[in-house]
Amino acid sequence: MDRVLIFDTTLRDGEQSPGFSMNAKEKLEMAKQLAALKVDIIEAGFPISSPGDLEGVRQIAREVRGPVVAALARANRADIDAAWAGVREAARPRIHTFIATSEIHMKHKLRLTPNEVLEAAGEAVAYARQFCADVEFSAEDATRSDPEFLFRVLEVAIAAGATTVNVPDTVGYTTPEEFTALIRAIHSRVPNIAQAAISVHCHNDLGLAVANSLAGVAAGARQIEATINGIGERAGNASLEEVVMAAHTRRNIYAFETGIDTTQIYAASRLLGTITGVRVQPNKAIVGANAFAHEAGIHQDGVLKNPLTYEIMKPETIGLPENQLVLGKHSGRHAFRARLNALGYDLPKEALDQAFVRFKELADRKKTIGDSDLEALVGEEITKSQEFYRLEAMQVTCGFPATPKASVTLRGPDGQTQHAESAGDGPVDAAYQAIGQIVGKANQLTDFSIHAVTPGRDALGRVTVRVQNGGCEATGHGADTDIIVASAKAYVNALNKLMAASG
Ligand code: KIV
Ligand code: ZN
């Protein structure tokens, strides 16, 4: 069996898409889970894009062992310097440099001639090789490029020292048949191709990213670039769990293996949802809530008689916890920690202590505490940033007809409590205005979402907000059985992250 490398770009292509931004701490948490999943390469970020991203890449390079740690750079020296500054402390660093090769990108975006692109590609790879023995080159928009020109660019990149050449379907335009032919042609037409591995990087605009990636491998590619839950620019990238489980389940068709520990898939998917606040749709292949649920009577009857009737994969293969163990107010610390471990969370002592305190508080208000409740509590710990402000107390009045009013007390950076009151369009608006008066920074709420973590009237409400200040954006999360309190916590969490990002 051939071994295909899994290059995870959740923290770069995924993270750069709207609603998925993560700070350095969150990226590090996710990178540790990617290492547990045993991906071969973690693309940790695009360091030139911001000091925060550089710091995130640096921390992952320093602390995460196992996978190669890669950073992205355009084909210029400043980008490559920043990428190297990000990954240089990794045990196995990689610089990933790219330039567009399609006529439409070269002419309208780069305003470069094909010869200039050829030269820039060769120079960038050679420059990156001065720092790092592992250099990947990507021909952006490869699938809409003139194939003859693409072959030439890849040849030049390999001659300059590229050890992997990536063929991105940047706009999700290709089809499995067309992509197979392109990868085969690269094999036969790029004279020095034996000196580099071919990688595929497919976007999902037509819903073909996974099929195209598998077609690319069947045609000879030996690296697949993918993301957890398929997140990424626009319609996303090829979903890592789908590619891996297709290969795992249909070994007779896809004659390759990966190094992925499939039992870590579910935990990786849930952790990403916990950190970003964006859950996958229920019918998402492999990791959706319904992926292993059987509703129709005929199906249930079949599965009870023999799971093979309707299940092509075993839930335990992806690490789906076998039973929904329910905790309550009599559950102790040991049971709490054991359940978190079973869900794939291994919190450091301080975070575990905090989460346990919150668990006990919640258990007083809510009779049974299931996995989703635990994830919401843990999520608050994982996404906590430096706490400049903390919600100490709040009260709201609202009704119909009435003017909603909120009174909020925060503990500030100097340890003193500060209090403000405000009216608003609704109780959340009133609370946010009062918080704004205390924090005193102009900012814009660009997204607000709330969902009940479990069914039932005593459910935890989990609020996710996005807040912008100048060019900076932060995502905040808060969970509480009182949704106005959860909203206030999420807002304060986002403001703390903005303050931490601005130094
Ligand atoms: O989609 C794309 O072309 C990319 C490259 C930077 C690899 O993400
Ligand atoms: Zn991409």
Side-chain angles (χ1 to χ4, degrees), residues 13 201 203 237:
D13 215 325
H201 174 112
H203 280 269
N237 288 62

Side-chain angles (χ1 to χ4, degrees), residues 9 12-13 16 168-170 201-203 225 233-234 237:
T9 183
R12 198 279 298 169
D13 215 325
Q16 77 193 34
D169 182 29
T170 303
H201 174 112
C202 299
H203 280 269
E225 306 200 353
E233 281 284 356
R234 303 180 311 281
N237 288 62

Side-chain angles (χ1 to χ4, degrees), residues 16 50 69 83 239 254 361 447 471:
Q16 77 193 34
S50 74
V69 179
S239 141
Y254 301 113
E361 282 167 10
D447 198 16

Side-chain angles (χ1 to χ4, degrees), residues 220-396:
R222 284 295 167 268
Q223 175 178 289
I224 297 177
E225 306 200 353
T227 58
I228 301 296
N229 296 345
I231 69 170
E233 281 284 356
R234 303 180 311 281
N237 288 62
S239 141
L240 185 149
E241 60 278 7
E242 292 177 24
V243 165
V244 168
M245 288 310 292
H248 183 91
T249 309
R250 300 306 311 274
R251 273 176 257 214
N252 56 332
I253 304 281
Y254 301 113
F256 70 91
E257 55 188 15
T258 71
I260 295 294
D261 176 355
T262 61
T263 65
Q264 293 293 330
I265 285 178
Y266 185 73
S269 166
R270 297 295 295 193
L271 179 63
L272 183 63
T274 299
I275 289 175
T276 59
V278 185
R279 296 281 175 203
V280 296
Q281 80 270 20
N283 62 327
K284 165 80 176 65
I286 318 294
V287 289
N290 294 351
F292 290 91
H294 304 280
E295 189 66 31
I298 297 174
H299 290 211
Q300 288 175 347
D301 182 50
V303 169
L304 286 174
K305 287 175 176 147
N306 184 341
L308 288 178
T309 50
Y310 287 100
E311 272 181 13
I312 59 166
M313 298 166 267
K314 292 196 182 114
E316 57 267 30
T317 311
I318 65 151
L320 197 72
E322 233 167 70
N323 51 5
Q324 280 273 326
L325 195 83
V326 171
L327 302 179
K329 69 176 179 186
H330 299 298
S331 305
R333 206 189 153 76
H334 181 71
F336 177 71
R337 195 177 57 192
R339 192 62 194 159
L340 287 184
N341 289 348
L343 294 172
Y345 297 100
D346 187 12
L347 297 185
K349 186 175 173 320
E350 201 186 323
L352 186 75
D353 290 346
Q354 290 292 328
F356 188 62
V357 171
R358 292 270 291 115
F359 163 73
K360 283 292 184 187
E361 282 167 10
L362 181 62
D364 275 338
R365 283 184 276 160
K366 192 170 184 292
K367 222 165 147 208
T368 55
I369 298 187
D371 292 346
S372 303
D373 297 310
L374 290 181
E375 282 182 322
L377 294 182
V378 167
E380 283 204 323
E381 287 312 312
I382 293 175
T383 58
K384 211 181 237 176
S385 80
Q386 194 179 342
E387 271 195 310
F388 295 94
Y389 288 93
R390 198 172 75 210
L391 182 66
E392 286 282 303
M394 68 180 292
Q395 260 182 346
V396 290

